[in-house]
Amino acid sequence: MTPVGLLVDLTVLLVAAVATVAVRTHDPVRQAVVLSQLGLLLALLFTFLQAPDVALSQLAVGTVVTPLLIMLTVRKIRRQTGSATGGGRRGRGGNR
Amino acid sequence: MNRTARTTLFWCAALAIALCYGISCGHLPGFGGSFHPYADRAVPAALAHRTANAVASVNFDQRGFDTLGEEFILFTAVLGAAMVLRRARDEHTVSPRPGRVLPTVRLAGTVLLPVALVTGVYVIAHGQLTPGGGFQGGVALATGLHVAYLAADYRVLRNVRPRTVLDLADAMAAGAFAALGLAGLAWGSAYLENVLPWGVQGQIVSGGTVPLLNAAVGVEVGSALVVLLAAFLDQALEIETG
């Protein structure tokens, strides 16, 4: 097996592992962090598969923008439920 | 529809998709093999139009119409998000408290912000030559701008991103892509046809309309993402109900 093939196989396994962790994580904030790591790994995988164009998009969208949007949404929801019930209750991700 | 019917429907659909997917995967050429029917046609076509980055040639020249559709998907998505997230009548804005920023973070941000912006412009401008292009460069520009939020605070970010200008730029760049396609109708034979002189391969002026379409997409994606993140940031930091 070529070194690149080995790298690809290793990254595919890592992607599968981190994706499983992302699904098993229930707190949306932690999930956003795991998603960001998953985006980084996918960007690596696309680079090893010789698709640098896709890797660049994945790096920006998957690693930065999507987790940021999730974090901002969670922050907004927590602030709202916090002010409505006098603080304390943390919104836990609606319908999972 | 009750639960049993839903589950049955799901399993029927899942089985059908699994079968079709399995059968079609069996007919795919092997991974890493030497049989590339699409690449064998796309790469010569890209080189015939003097576009060194074959991916950019497929996206903006051979399949420009698909990219137009994708661009308008992003445009309408951002439009919808900005409309849903706008300040409603029963909401008011509060000014966010400035947070404490470590001096090292501030220094790193000051160095990183111009580097990120230059990288974004570089990636857009060299889309016809090297990996990247309008979408990737636009995203780099938009996310790079938000270093200002990390390194300083929200008021600084608001000053470096004039939202009205970016709203306009977003719409005008999306329209510019469609208008550049009309040039193909006017001077060529088909919509989005590459009618400009192709130039010398490997130089920055090459690929005909590809660099222009890349620039339009770069401005559109960059401003669309800033507007989208601005709508989310406003909701998370400034807008309160009641």
Side-chain angles (χ1 to χ4, degrees):
Chain A
M1 183 178 277
T2 57
V4 174
L6 205 66
L7 271 180
V8 169
D9 288 356
L10 191 71
T11 331
V12 168
L13 285 179
L14 273 174
V15 164
V18 176
T20 315
V21 173
V23 173
R24 301 291 306 163
T25 312
H26 291 315
D27 179 28
V29 173
R30 286 170 202 274
Q31 205 170 33
V33 177
V34 181
L35 265 185
S36 153
Q37 285 157 358
L38 178 64
L40 198 63
L41 276 173
L42 278 173
L44 266 182
L45 178 63
F46 294 144
T47 314
F48 295 145
L49 289 173
Q50 301 182 24
D53 290 82
V54 192
L56 267 174
S57 320
Q58 176 62 36
L59 193 62
V61 175
T63 315
V64 184
V65 179
T66 315
L68 180 62
L69 291 185
I70 295 174
M71 300 275 248
L72 288 173
T73 312
V74 170
R75 188 192 149 100
K76 169 78 178 175
I77 292 170
R78 285 200 180 150
R79 232 171 47 138
Q80 223 162 27
T81 50
S83 64
T85 57
R89 270 196 62 81
R90 298 181 353 154
R92 271 203 76 198
N95 46 351
R96 273 184 275 123
Chain B
M1 198 187 277
N2 61 12
R3 196 180 168 83
T4 330
R6 271 209 305 265
T7 318
T8 320
L9 188 68
F10 165 74
W11 281 113
C12 287
L15 198 70
I17 290 173
L19 262 178
C20 295
Y21 185 69
I23 291 169
S24 30
C25 278
H27 291 286
L28 280 177
F31 181 74
S34 57
F35 178 64
H36 300 293
Y38 192 67
D40 288 344
R41 289 164 179 80
V43 174
L47 296 182
H49 285 190
R50 311 282 183 275
T51 315
N53 180 9
V55 178
S57 175
V58 172
N59 281 340
F60 295 100
D61 189 356
Q62 301 167 36
R63 289 287 191 137
F65 195 64
D66 293 16
T67 310
L68 180 75
E70 281 171 32
E71 208 206 3
F72 275 92
I73 290 173
L74 182 75
F75 181 71
T76 37
V78 169
L79 194 71
M83 251 170 90
V84 171
L85 294 176
R86 75 192 187 283
R87 190 164 63 89
R89 207 168 289 153
D90 60 338
E91 291 171 334
H92 65 275
T93 52
V94 291
S95 91
R97 279 174 292 127
R100 206 173 67 85
V101 181
L102 289 175
T104 41
V105 175
R106 196 178 286 264
L107 178 69
T110 317
V111 176
L112 205 60
L113 180 65
V115 174
L117 294 186
V118 170
T119 308
V121 175
Y122 177 92
V123 170
I124 295 175
H126 290 73
Q128 66 280 17
L129 304 176
T130 49
F135 184 79
Q136 290 85 346
V139 177
L141 271 182
T143 44
L145 202 61
H146 288 81
V147 169
Y149 175 49
L150 292 180
D153 65 21
Y154 192 54
R155 286 169 303 174
V156 175
L157 175 65
R158 235 180 356 204
N159 289 338
V160 295
R161 104 182 157 207
R163 205 170 148 185
T164 323
V165 177
L166 290 175
D167 274 335
L168 275 174
D170 183 18
M172 282 171 68
F177 195 116
L180 276 167
L182 290 177
L185 277 183
W187 289 287
S189 56
Y191 188 68
L192 278 170
E193 189 183 316
N194 199 341
V195 284
L196 285 181
W198 294 325
V200 182
Q201 182 172 323
Q203 288 194 357
I204 193 151
V205 185
S206 63
T209 50
V210 174
L212 289 181
L213 293 174
N214 256 323
V217 170
V219 174
E220 202 264 324
V221 171
S223 34
L225 271 183
V226 172
V227 169
L228 179 73
L229 283 173
F232 270 85
L233 278 167
D234 281 353
Q235 278 287 347
L237 300 175
E238 280 196 323
I239 297 180
E240 281 197 342
T241 319

